[in-house]
Amino acid sequence: MKEIKTKLLIIGAGPGGYVCAIRAGQLGIDTVVIEAGKPGGTCLNVGCIPSKALIHAADEYEKVSRLSGKNALGISTSKPKIDLSQTMEWKDGIVSRLNSGVAGLLKKHGVKTVEGWAKFRDGKTVEVDTPTGPQIIRAEYVVIGTGSAPVELPFLPFGDKVISSTDALSLTEIPGKLAVVGGGYIGLELGIAYAKLGSEVTVVEAESSILPQYDKDLIRPVLKRLDALGIKVMTKAKAKGLSTKGNSLLVENGGGVDHKIPADKILVTVGRKPVTHGWGLEEIDLRMDGPFIHINDKCQTSMRGTYAIGDVTGEPMLAHRAMAQGEMVAEIIAGEKRTWDKVCIPAVCFTDPEIVTAGLSPKEAKDMGYAIKTDSFPFQANGRAMSAEREEGFVRIVARADNHLVLGIQAVGVGVSELSAGFALALEMGARLEDIAATIHAHPTQSEALQEAALKTLGHALHI
């Protein structure tokens, strides 16, 4: 068996791994990347991209459905129908195009891709189980980017009626009744999409509120929309398993009383776990932070020459965090002086309406000892939001009281995901309230709410 020797070996071609490989190739580093599936990882294949495609299709279907009845716009149309199998075929086409794009970029930059499952022999050597047989690869540097996988509940194992987020993105028929276990962002994104497509959706959340990582002000517009879509929400409720006949979800909702929720499909979205087993972790001596691989501010692990990036290193499990880490690690290996010094990692919850957070919330800022100034501007006073028929939500700014340095920006509303880049840029550039307030924002756009939020926090909003 012929061995491959390389300077850099990357295990996993997810967002972090393939970006690391592309940047390494640009920098002239001899690089090999190993991937058991298709390039792009969870995000491109069974996560971010396909879920947004499904959400878009659901939004369009719901829009046409609304227009088939009486509406303020005076538009008349017939009641729509949807062929979900065709929708999934369209979604798969998008994924395939992006797969090919990533593979092409890797090839363009001289990166060798090995298909298969890698397992460490020692800290610098892996054996890959490829379709054509075992392959040994030795490297000077190793980057671990093995990602994460959906958490499976022992009393609700995946299969048949019980599905993961991955399965929910490949259904060919719309479930008549869908029970969602877990009221976090994944469960709500998919639950809302299927509700718009016609499913009767019930969300079961063990905590006292859905989206427990967000404050009540940000959640309130989402709760209102869930109610409008007919989605039933059960909080402080614990799923216990399937009913005897297997046609219902058993839920304990206080007082020890079990309720039965009829369900054609049960979508379990109670979180994700790092993929740290099955690739020889026991063969190398890495320090762990609970279930995650410990890293420093350069993404170095406890083993010299070995780095880890992305979901396997802990929260936040976000593709763009992994990408930024991968780029940084490639440059460090090339000899550049880099360190992780990001002010914020913006996060988007693609519910309806969407939620964006960047930097510190008011509570987080106070808990860190800051005296703050904070205020929000509602989309009800924003002409663009009004003309698009979706006025719910707001933009909120959190700033230091003494020098007005912006510490955090949050928003909830339709399409606010596209404001996230501006929020992050303001924080990374060290903007103060006066900087945002003095920046001309195009009219009419939703982004004006950011300027108005800054003005309002300073005490002199113009349009409210």
Side-chain angles (χ1 to χ4, degrees), residues 2-332:
K2 187 178 180 180
E3 294 184 356
I4 295 175
K5 292 185 178 179
T6 185
K7 181 169 183 177
L8 172 60
L9 172 63
I10 301 168
I11 302 175
Y18 82 70
V19 166
C20 184
I22 289 170
R23 185 66 183 124
Q26 291 174 341
L27 293 166
I29 300 171
D30 184 24
T31 304
V32 174
V33 61
I34 303 169
E35 174 56 53
K38 295 180 179 179
T42 293
C43 179
L44 195 158
N45 293 287
V46 292
C48 315
I49 301 302
S51 67
K52 302 314 164 285
L54 179 63
I55 288 169
H56 171 70
D59 286 345
E60 294 300 295
Y61 182 81
E62 191 261 344
K63 184 187 299 181
V64 178
S65 297
R66 179 171 54 84
L67 295 176
S68 66
K70 187 176 180 180
N71 59 84
L73 301 181
I75 298 174
S76 298
T77 185
S78 58
K79 188 174 181 180
K81 296 180 181 179
I82 187 167
D83 180 348
L84 191 61
S85 60
Q86 183 176 330
T87 304
M88 293 299 179
E89 187 177 331
W90 166 74
K91 176 264 297 180
D92 291 341
I94 292 171
V95 171
S96 179
R97 285 166 57 196
L98 290 170
N99 283 144
S100 298
V102 171
L105 287 169
L106 291 170
K107 184 177 181 180
K108 174 184 176 181
H109 294 292
V111 177
K112 180 177 177 58
T113 302
V114 176
E115 179 186 353
W117 188 266
K119 192 169 184 179
F120 278 99
R121 281 189 169 186
D122 57 48
K124 303 296 181 184
T125 310
V126 300
E127 179 176 334
V128 187
D129 183 14
T130 77
T132 58
Q135 173 70 64
I136 301 299
I137 304 176
R138 300 185 188 277
E140 184 179 348
Y141 298 97
V142 177
V143 175
I144 300 169
T146 49
S148 63
V151 172
E152 185 177 39
L153 295 173
F155 50 86
L156 282 172
F158 295 134
D160 190 25
K161 188 180 288 290
V162 181
I163 62 175
S164 67
S165 56
T166 299
D167 303 319
L169 294 170
S170 58
L171 296 178
T172 54
E173 293 184 1
I174 298 165
K177 296 180 185 294
L178 175 67
V180 180
V181 180
Y185 73 94
I186 296 175
L188 288 182
E189 286 180 8
L190 294 174
I192 289 172
Y194 275 106
K196 289 179 177 180
L197 292 172
S199 295
E200 185 180 320
V201 177
T202 302
V203 177
V204 178
E205 170 57 48
E207 299 294 328
S208 59
S209 171
I210 59 165
L211 301 172
Q213 70 270 45
Y214 298 109
D215 60 65
K216 291 181 180 179
D217 290 337
L218 292 170
I219 297 170
R220 194 173 294 113
V222 178
L223 283 169
K224 186 176 180 180
R225 182 65 171 145
L226 293 176
D227 184 61
L229 290 169
I231 298 175
K232 184 179 180 182
V233 177
M234 299 175 65
T235 55
K236 296 183 180 179
K238 295 182 179 180
K240 298 184 67 177
L242 291 173
S243 63
T244 304
K245 294 183 179 180
N247 60 356
S248 299
L249 173 68
L250 294 179
V251 176
E252 182 183 325
N253 192 18
V257 178
D258 287 347
H259 298 264
K260 288 184 179 181
I261 300 175
D264 298 302
K265 293 290 183 182
I266 298 169
L267 171 59
V268 177
T269 57
V270 293
R272 297 184 63 85
K273 60 182 179 181
V275 179
T276 54
H277 297 287
W279 45 264
L281 181 61
E282 64 278 2
E283 299 298 327
I284 54 178
D285 183 24
L286 293 183
R287 178 183 167 190
M288 304 295 289
D289 282 336
F292 302 107
I293 296 174
H294 174 82
I295 56 172
N296 64 10
D297 60 2
K298 292 181 173 58
C299 289
Q300 295 168 320
T301 70
S302 56
M303 181 175 288
R304 186 177 180 182
T306 301
Y307 298 78
I309 58 177
D311 289 3
V312 77
T313 64
E315 297 288 354
M317 291 186 178
L318 297 170
H320 41 284
R321 169 179 176 261
M323 290 176 175
Q325 288 177 322
E327 179 189 24
M328 179 185 75
V329 168
E331 293 179 355
I332 289 172

